[in-house]
Amino acid sequence: MAIKTIDSELLVKMFLAGAANLEAHKEIINDLNVFPVPDGDTGTNMSMTVMAAVKAICDLENPDMESVAKAISSGSLRGARGNSGVILSQLFRGFTKVVREEKIMDAQVLVKACERGVATAYKAVMKPKEGTILTVAKGIAKKTAEMAETTDDLEIVIPAVLKYGKEVLDRTPDMLPVLKEAGVVDSGGQGLLEILNGAYDVFLGKEVDYDTVRISNKTKVADIVIPDNHESIEITFGYCTEFLILLEKEITEDTEDKFKAFLDSIGDSVVCVADEEVIKVHVHTDDPGLALQKALTFGQLSNIKIDNMREEHEEKLMRDASKKAAKAESKIAPKEEEAKKEDVRKAVGFIAVSIGEGINDIFRDLGVDHLIEGGQTMNPSTDDMLMGIDAVNADHIFILPNNKNIILAANQAQTLTKDKDIIVVPTTTVPQGIAALISFMEEEEVDVNIENMKEIIQNVKTGQVTYAVRDTQINSFVIKEGDIMGISDNGICAVNESVAEATLDMLKEQVTDDSEMISIFYGSDVKEEEANALKSEVEKLFPHVDIDIHFGGQPIYYYLTSVE
């Protein structure tokens, strides 16, 4: 008997099964990383993005097609990590814009949803490349449309689409030379197919192990953590009020601004972050009921939390003291946590993605207000960016992603922020982020500083030294597992058995007669005496260049370098 439709109950099961299958195969996807470095993270990023949507779905009490679609869209949007996660969230976003309008999905709805998903994802990427997850998704949409012209039986449509998607994935190395040289298919495309294959298993009625995605119904959509500001004895407004508004219809920017003005009129410490489906609200007020009544005009309320700040003040001070003591021993020290909210709003603030104790200290010394733990092995999510934006009390906030795989998540946070001017400086490495901060001039206008920062990151050459996790051949280098690689902005440029020699070989490729400064940041696996010995060798090689060496404390990468 033909199956011609998918209802909301089946869609939930298919999505959870797809998430479980992706989670089960994420390490295989990570291993498809083009460069054989120990930070392959596509599978991890995609899985964490999908799991954020799973949490949102599991919070639904009586899921219908509209609420399931909104949960998938909003959850993945805010949980998106890395380029692959952001693109996946945009595929979901476009797909669910169509699905939410329907009671059931048939072949024709599936066609429209796939096409909308592809269009939305392509639009989100500044310079789309073929041979990536976008190409696989486009092939899937095309085949879905072709099949729907001949049959409305989803038992025929779906396997044909998956088969064609695999064919497109297998052709990705022919579209991107770097994939062919590395001998791998596109990892994002592989991740997308793992989701669809898992979903298809449930469609066929197979038993699926949901253990990896089983979440209690008490699990809520991840709230933005609003930093408390109860330090002073004088508390102007007594109740810290937080809640989510589940929008029943889209609101205009003007309506959103008027809502924020209303909240400001009844209290202070107002934070209001909106996307198409959800508004997250935080306000200190003496009358929480007024905030809740106004919010009800926009939709249903969820995650309501009201704290009596005066009553809890003494306990709060004790808890904060304990937290600060604990944070003193953590990777991100409390300095930036203590300054999340300032009494006076600043003109300009800074957020930087960082990893490593030494790098954190350098960023703080350069004036960064908020550090986000992240980098190569754990890309922060869009929600992490939004939390950072909430924490910085400034009109203009510069975000330094310091990794090419984090820029899209930062851009997505930028589009979700309405009450602050967010500037994403497209730094792809930590040394670029440091150089951008050094170039900032407080007396100049914001637009001038943006141009200066973009110019400086184009003129600094950066490098990273790490080890290979597999045998491969790339950029004419024959690489064995365990070899040490020097990776410049243009790719692998040095391979050696010695960390020091690989670093020197990489610098030889980067330093010219016009170079004036080399900065070296040594990682957690490098001893200080080893770093000083390397500095001496660099000074011998390049006597005309000033050499700075700093403790970075970053994992995985023995050295990070910059040449200016």
Side-chain angles (χ1 to χ4, degrees):
M1 182 177 176
I3 302 177
K4 297 184 178 182
T5 61
I6 296 172
D7 61 15
S8 59
E9 183 179 356
L10 180 55
L11 177 60
V12 168
K13 291 179 180 178
M14 291 175 69
F15 191 85
L16 296 182
N21 198 52
L22 176 64
E23 175 68 16
H25 293 88
K26 69 180 181 182
E27 292 304 330
I28 294 173
I29 297 167
N30 285 342
D31 289 342
L32 293 175
N33 192 21
V34 169
F35 291 124
V37 295
D39 64 1
D41 52 11
T42 300
T44 300
N45 285 337
M46 294 183 76
S47 183
M48 295 186 77
T49 299
V50 172
M51 288 303 174
V54 167
K55 289 180 181 179
I57 289 173
C58 289
D59 188 46
L60 300 175
E61 293 183 1
N62 298 300
D64 56 15
M65 192 65 83
E66 182 179 9
S67 62
V68 171
K70 286 183 176 181
I72 291 172
S73 177
S74 183
S76 62
L77 182 72
R78 291 176 172 272
R81 295 176 184 269
N83 291 348
S84 55
V86 172
I87 293 172
L88 183 63
S89 74
Q90 293 300 314
L91 287 170
F92 289 154
R93 188 181 190 186
F95 186 94
T96 56
K97 275 184 178 291
V98 173
V99 171
R100 75 179 61 177
E101 305 297 332
E102 309 292 339
K103 298 296 183 185
I104 57 173
M105 277 196 297
D106 58 17
Q108 293 303 321
V109 172
L110 197 58
V111 170
K112 293 177 184 177
C114 287
E115 290 176 343
R116 183 71 175 271
V118 170
T120 303
Y122 266 88
K123 186 178 179 181
V125 180
M126 188 72 70
K127 295 180 180 179
K129 285 184 179 181
E130 298 305 326
T132 66
I133 183 176
L134 291 171
T135 307
V136 177
K138 183 169 65 175
I140 287 170
K142 175 185 174 184
K143 189 64 176 180
T144 303
E146 289 179 1
M147 293 301 299
E149 290 179 356
T150 62
T151 179
D152 60 357
D153 185 353
L154 296 180
E155 285 189 290
I156 297 175
V157 173
I158 295 176
V161 168
L162 292 179
K163 180 181 178 183
Y164 184 73
K166 179 64 165 60
E167 292 173 3
V168 175
L169 177 67
D170 290 342
R171 291 201 300 269
T172 55
D174 296 326
M175 303 176 205
L176 274 180
V178 68
L179 294 176
K180 174 166 280 191
E181 190 173 12
V184 295
V185 297
D186 177 67
S187 55
Q190 182 71 56
L192 179 60
L193 284 183
E194 296 297 354
I195 295 171
L196 298 179
N197 286 330
Y200 183 51
D201 283 343
V202 162
F203 180 83
L204 292 176
K206 294 181 181 179
E207 291 293 326
V208 174
D209 180 6
Y210 291 103
D211 284 347
T212 55
V213 295
R214 198 180 304 280
I215 298 175
S216 164
N217 284 334
K218 293 182 180 179
T219 302
K220 303 294 183 182
V221 178
D223 288 332
I224 290 180
V225 177
I226 305 297
D228 294 318
N229 189 22
H230 307 163
E231 290 290 329
S232 71
I233 298 297
E234 187 66 33
I235 297 175
T236 306
F237 297 98
Y239 295 94
C240 175
T241 307
E242 300 176 53
F243 54 88
L244 297 179
I245 306 175
L246 308 178
L247 293 174
E248 294 177 348
K249 60 181 179 179
E250 290 189 19
I251 65 170
T252 65
E253 188 170 328
D254 181 59
T255 302
E256 184 183 335
D257 289 341
K258 289 179 180 177
F259 178 49
K260 290 178 181 176
F262 170 78
L263 293 173
D264 196 51
S265 72
I266 64 170
D268 63 11
S269 297
V270 174
V271 178
C272 184
V273 181
D275 64 14
E276 293 176 349
E277 294 87 21
V278 177
I279 301 180
K280 294 186 175 185
V281 177
H282 169 275
V283 60
H284 292 174
T285 178
D286 279 333
D287 195 339
L290 290 176
L292 298 176
Q293 289 172 21
K294 186 69 172 179
L296 281 168
T297 64
F298 301 113
Q300 299 180 47
L301 304 187
S302 177
N303 291 33
I304 299 172
K305 178 173 175 284
I306 301 174
D307 293 323
N308 185 327
M309 295 189 294
R310 295 186 179 100
E311 184 179 278
E312 297 179 355
H313 181 68
E314 291 303 322
E315 182 182 349
K316 174 71 172 63
L317 290 178
M318 293 177 65
R319 287 201 310 267
D320 283 352
S322 298
K323 287 180 181 178
K324 289 174 184 178
K327 283 177 181 175
E329 300 177 1
S330 67
K331 291 182 179 179
I332 301 293
K335 181 177 177 181
E336 50 95 2
E337 296 288 338
E338 294 167 2
K340 280 182 178 178
K341 292 286 187 184
E342 299 182 10
D343 292 333
V344 180
R345 192 174 176 99
K346 301 192 301 181
V348 177
F350 297 93
I351 296 172
V353 178
S354 178
I355 190 165
E357 180 184 345
I359 299 297
N360 295 338
D361 289 340
I362 291 170
F363 277 132
R364 290 193 198 95
D365 290 342
L366 291 173
V368 171
D369 300 279
H370 184 86
L371 296 176
I372 298 177
E373 186 84 10
Q376 290 293 94
T377 54
M378 180 55 72
N379 296 155
S381 68
T382 299
D383 223 16
D384 292 331
M385 296 288 180
L386 289 171
M387 289 169 62
I389 290 168
D390 290 343
V392 179
N393 193 9
D395 294 323
H396 310 278
I397 300 176
F398 288 82
I399 299 182
L400 305 169
N402 301 330
N403 186 306
K404 65 181 180 181
N405 207 31
I406 300 174
I407 293 173
L408 279 183
N411 288 338
Q412 194 151 272
Q414 178 187 49
T415 63
L416 293 174
T417 303
K418 306 298 183 184
D419 61 337
K420 297 175 183 177
D421 176 32
I422 307 301
I423 304 107
V424 179
V425 184
T427 52
T428 60
T429 62
V430 165
Q432 280 188 359
I434 292 171
L437 283 167
I438 291 173
S439 73
F440 180 83
M441 293 178 286
E442 191 171 353
E443 67 276 8
E444 293 288 357
E445 296 293 328
V446 169
D447 289 345
V448 173
N449 274 304
I450 292 172
E451 292 306 312
N452 287 343
M453 286 178 158
K454 289 182 177 179
E455 182 178 354
I456 196 68
I457 64 177
Q458 293 298 320
N459 293 330
V460 59
K461 303 173 186 176
T462 65
Q464 306 167 100
V465 180
T466 187
Y467 58 92
V469 295
R470 68 171 186 268
D471 295 350
T472 190
Q473 183 170 335
I474 193 166
N475 292 356
S476 75
F477 290 104
V478 176
I479 302 169
K480 300 295 184 183
E481 180 179 349
D483 280 350
I484 306 301
M485 302 175 296
I487 307 172
S488 70
D489 299 316
N490 297 319
I492 297 173
C493 63
V495 177
N496 204 295
E497 293 181 358
S498 160
V499 172
E501 291 301 322
T503 307
L504 294 173
D505 290 343
M506 179 182 70
L507 289 173
K508 289 174 186 176
E509 294 290 323
Q510 296 178 312
V511 178
T512 67
D513 291 340
D514 296 328
S515 299
E516 298 177 352
M517 168 75 73
I518 298 174
S519 297
I520 302 172
F521 307 89
Y522 62 94
S524 57
D525 293 327
V526 177
K527 296 178 181 178
E528 184 177 1
E529 53 267 30
E530 293 172 334
N532 288 331
L534 175 68
K535 180 185 178 184
S536 297
E537 293 301 316
V538 175
E539 288 173 337
K540 292 176 186 176
L541 275 177
F542 311 111
H544 67 290
V545 179
D546 291 330
I547 315 295
D548 273 347
I549 193 157
H550 309 272
F551 170 65
Q554 69 276 2
I556 294 179
Y557 291 87
Y558 301 107
Y559 292 104
L560 302 177
T561 67
S562 67
V563 178
E564 302 175 57

